[in-house]
C-alpha cells in the first residue's frame, strides 16, 4: 500500500492551494481517507475525513468553510482544496487511510507529508 501526497508550497495569506493524494494497493471503496496536518511544535490534527460511501466528509473546526476535500475512488485519489489560507495553516499535510466506513482514527496506512507554508 502506498500513498503519495503532493501539491504543497509557499502561498500568501488569503491565497489558495490544492493538495492531491494518490493511493495504490487498496480499493478506496472500503476505506475512509483523511487529511492530517502537523505544525511545528504542535500535535497532529485531523483536517478532513472522507467516508467511502454517501459522499460525507468531516472537517475540523479550524478549516471548516475554507477547505474542501473530494475523493475519486475510481482514480484512487483524494484532493484537498484550501482557500483563504492563514498563517496558522502552515504545516506538513499528510494523507492516510483506514479500512472503515466512518472513523479517521488509528489509520492503517500513511503517506509522506507535503509542506504548506502560508507567509507573506
Amino acid at each position: 500500500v502506498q500513498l503519495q501526497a503532493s501539491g504543497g508550497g509557499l502561498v500568501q495569506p488569503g491565497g489558495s492551494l490544492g493538495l492531491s493524494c494518490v493511493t495504490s494497493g487498496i480499493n478506496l471503496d472500503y476505506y475512509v481517507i483523511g487529511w492530517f496536518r502537523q505544525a511545528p511544535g504542535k500535535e497532529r490534527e485531523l483536517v478532513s475525513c472522507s467516508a467511502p460511501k454517501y459522499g460525507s466528509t468531516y472537517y475540523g473546526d479550524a478549516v471548516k468553510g475554507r477547505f474542501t476535500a473530494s475523493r475519486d475512488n475510481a482514480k484512487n485519489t483524494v484532493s484537498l482544496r484550501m482557500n483563504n489560507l492563514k498563517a496558522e495553516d502552515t504545516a506538513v499535510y499528510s494523507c492516510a487511510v483506514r479500512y472503515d466506513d466512518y472513523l479517521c482514527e488509528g489509520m492503517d496506512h500513511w503517506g509522506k507529508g507535503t509542506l504548506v507554508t502560508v507567509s507573506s
Side-chain angles (χ1 to χ4, degrees):
V1 178
Q2 290 188 330
L3 293 83
Q4 181 65 55
S6 61
L10 174 64
V11 62
Q12 292 185 343
S16 298
L17 200 63
L19 305 181
S20 179
C21 177
V22 179
T23 70
S24 61
I26 58 172
N27 184 342
L28 269 187
D29 288 345
Y30 303 104
Y31 286 78
V32 291
I33 186 163
W35 283 101
F36 296 79
R37 69 184 184 185
Q38 187 165 20
K42 294 187 177 181
E43 293 188 354
R44 184 168 60 202
E45 67 172 321
L46 176 63
V47 174
S48 68
C49 182
S50 300
K53 304 173 184 176
Y54 315 120
S56 61
T57 301
Y58 161 88
Y59 295 96
D61 288 342
V63 306
K64 201 173 296 182
R66 299 187 297 121
F67 289 13
T68 303
S70 58
R71 60 189 288 163
D72 186 335
N73 291 352
K75 295 182 179 180
N76 295 317
T77 62
V78 64
S79 301
L80 184 68
R81 182 65 181 174
M82 305 182 292
N83 295 325
N84 190 22
L85 283 160
K86 306 175 181 180
E88 51 264 42
D89 294 318
T90 295
V92 174
Y93 286 72
S94 303
C95 54
V97 295
R98 175 182 173 178
Y99 187 77
D100 197 89
D101 286 337
Y102 301 106
L103 294 177
C104 281
E105 296 179 0
M107 307 304 279
D108 295 327
H109 305 284
W110 289 84
K112 289 185 178 180
T114 184
L115 177 63
V116 173
T117 303
V118 184
S119 175
S120 55

